[in-house]
Amino acid sequence: MTRTPAEQHTNRKAGMTATRADVARLAGVSPALVSYVMNNGPRPVSPEARARIERAIDTLNYKPNAIARALRGSETKMIGLLTPDTENPFFAELAKAIEQELFDDGYLLLVGITKDDPSRQLQYARTFLERKVDGLLILSSRVGRAMTELCDAVPTVTLDRTPLLPHASSVETDSMTGARRIVEHLQMHDIQLIGCIAGPPQTRVTEKRTKGWRIQQNAMGYAENRNLVAYASFTPQDGYEAAKRLFTSKTIADALRRGEHVGLFTHADVQALGAMHALLDMGIDVPGQVAIASFDGTQLSRHFTPTLTSYAQPVDEIAHSAVSELIRRIDTGGQQQQRRSIKIEGNLRIGGSCGCKPYGPLLQKA
């Protein structure tokens, strides 16, 4: 049930803390306008809107984030990085590249491992702000309202799995293009039936890579229905279980019995690792019966047997772009600046898992 402003005010008096969103709702404006009034910019606010916002601030006894106020006018040369884990080799390689970039620029990196848990993510972000970090780098599938407001306190850049934050810049590999190139390469092996082990459902990176798979399959008139998709977390175990589900399904199992060559596209190298083990346990030959190609191109993929064909994300380039953008925003005092969206293309790294010659060349960007 929707509360009236008066009811909301009563609840505030009862001990609840007002938020910027509450002020915006009572004043009938966007949260961004509240920030512009509190920060005296960077954009102008009409006298009428400013008056409504100031009245709402008084009514709700709104106190701006003390941490954000403390941050302004000081520099600690510390950056906070929120990452889901360091077991996924892609995240580990990216964190290492970011640390080196920041070190070269005279910054210290603080790392919080969130395990994709929103409460851990929020706690780490608050702790970093208490430490007065100069900026945040975030790898996350989702952020809530509280996290969004914290990210407004300092310059923020999201990477790889980029949630929509109103004032944060983003740096990511072009997932849809990469997925299309992977699937196209499998199709070049005269494979029509290509299954997909996708990432966690309802996340932007999963949607983009799955969409790339669908578009490329459609372009050739091949099947791309939901029975060919298995969702999984970015772990070997989940990749193993997803492969078991796909390759015991009627569509793929029947195709293998008919002697058809089947393809498998995984959204991450760690999923491919688990999938290969599952197919080995099922007595299915890779790449003889099933050709596999993945997304990420981590160093780990070169040590698979057979080596993994993968769309390699240029980790050093991603790290450099993210750090450069964050420092630019820090130097210009611009957590409220217009966000930039930076797209980076990867390269198709050829291994033996698709049936090509192992340790093949790194194909150039399209």
Side-chain angles (χ1 to χ4, degrees):
M1 182 175 68
T2 303
R3 295 175 294 156
T4 66
E7 290 172 327
Q8 292 172 344
H9 185 207
T10 299
N11 285 338
R12 297 301 165 202
K13 286 182 175 180
M16 294 175 64
T17 302
T19 68
R20 184 176 56 124
D22 294 322
V23 174
R25 192 179 301 111
L26 184 58
V29 298
S30 70
L33 284 184
V34 178
S35 291
Y36 300 156
V37 169
M38 300 304 302
N39 298 324
N40 197 27
R43 297 182 183 178
V45 178
S46 71
E48 295 81 6
R50 179 179 292 275
R52 293 201 308 274
I53 291 169
E54 290 174 348
R55 283 197 299 271
I57 289 171
D58 289 340
T59 300
L60 297 175
N61 193 28
Y62 172 60
K63 292 180 172 57
N65 192 319
I67 298 170
R69 289 201 307 269
L71 278 168
R72 287 194 291 270
S74 64
E75 201 172 77
T76 61
K77 289 293 183 179
M78 292 192 298
I79 301 297
L81 170 66
L82 300 178
T83 182
D85 62 64
T86 53
E87 294 179 7
N88 184 326
F90 172 71
F91 295 145
E93 290 176 15
L94 183 56
K96 181 180 179 181
I98 288 170
E99 189 278 334
Q100 186 62 56
E101 286 282 340
L102 288 170
F103 182 82
D104 291 344
D105 285 316
Y107 286 85
L108 176 69
L109 181 66
L110 305 180
V111 179
I113 300 175
T114 67
K115 300 182 180 179
D116 270 335
D117 179 344
S119 63
R120 284 178 64 94
Q121 177 177 262
L122 189 59
Q123 183 174 344
Y124 268 121
R126 284 173 173 159
T127 300
F128 287 163
L129 292 182
E130 288 169 0
R131 300 292 189 275
K132 299 185 179 181
V133 295
D134 295 329
L136 289 175
L137 294 166
I138 300 177
L139 289 94
S140 176
S141 300
R142 302 180 183 90
V143 292
R145 187 182 74 174
M147 186 67 186
T148 299
E149 291 192 2
L150 285 179
C151 291
D152 283 348
V154 291
T156 301
V157 174
T158 63
L159 301 93
D160 185 51
R161 301 189 293 171
T162 53
L164 293 173
L165 291 171
H167 303 119
S169 292
S170 64
V171 178
E172 61 183 319
T173 305
D174 189 338
S175 285
M176 195 179 305
T177 297
R180 290 198 65 175
R181 290 200 65 195
I182 293 169
V183 175
E184 180 184 38
H185 183 77
L186 292 175
Q187 291 170 346
M188 290 171 61
H189 286 269
D190 294 324
I191 299 173
Q192 296 186 16
L193 186 62
I194 300 174
C196 175
I197 295 181
Q202 298 180 336
T203 59
R204 293 181 71 229
V205 69
T206 294
E207 290 171 357
K208 290 177 181 179
R209 292 176 190 177
T210 304
K211 186 175 182 180
W213 165 76
R214 293 187 187 281
I215 290 173
Q216 188 58 39
Q217 283 289 88
N218 269 321
M220 299 297 292
Y222 300 156
E224 45 80 21
N225 58 71
R226 62 182 182 182
N227 295 327
L228 295 174
V229 181
Y231 293 96
S233 296
F234 296 121
T235 66
Q237 183 60 39
D238 271 32
Y240 181 98
E241 294 170 359
K244 284 274 191 175
R245 294 197 300 273
L246 275 181
F247 285 86
T248 55
S249 67
K250 180 175 173 55
T251 301
I252 294 181
D254 285 352
L256 289 174
R257 277 193 290 270
R258 292 192 299 267
E260 294 182 22
H261 197 193
V262 174
L264 177 64
F265 162 45
T266 66
H267 282 197
D269 290 354
V270 288
Q271 294 171 323
L273 176 61
M276 282 188 176
H277 286 176
L279 295 176
L280 178 64
D281 288 349
M282 297 171 72
I284 298 173
D285 180 66
V286 177
Q289 295 172 276
V290 177
I292 298 179
S294 180
F295 205 108
D296 275 347
T298 59
Q299 295 299 315
L300 175 68
S301 66
R302 301 184 182 189
H303 301 285
F304 284 28
T305 303
T307 53
L308 183 63
T309 293
S310 188
Y311 189 76
Q313 300 201 62
V315 170
D316 290 341
E317 185 179 350
I318 294 170
H320 177 74
S321 296
V323 169
S324 296
E325 173 64 8
L326 185 63
I327 292 176
R328 181 192 69 81
R329 299 188 69 152
I330 292 169
D331 289 344
T332 55
Q335 65 262 35
Q336 299 292 341
Q337 288 180 357
Q338 184 176 3
R339 66 191 302 271
R340 290 184 180 180
S341 180
I342 301 170
K343 287 280 184 71
I344 295 175
E345 290 188 20
N347 296 280
L348 189 62
R349 190 186 301 278
I350 302 301
S353 64
C354 64
C356 290
K357 181 180 178 181
Y359 300 103
L362 184 69
L363 301 187
Q364 296 302 309
K365 300 175 183 179

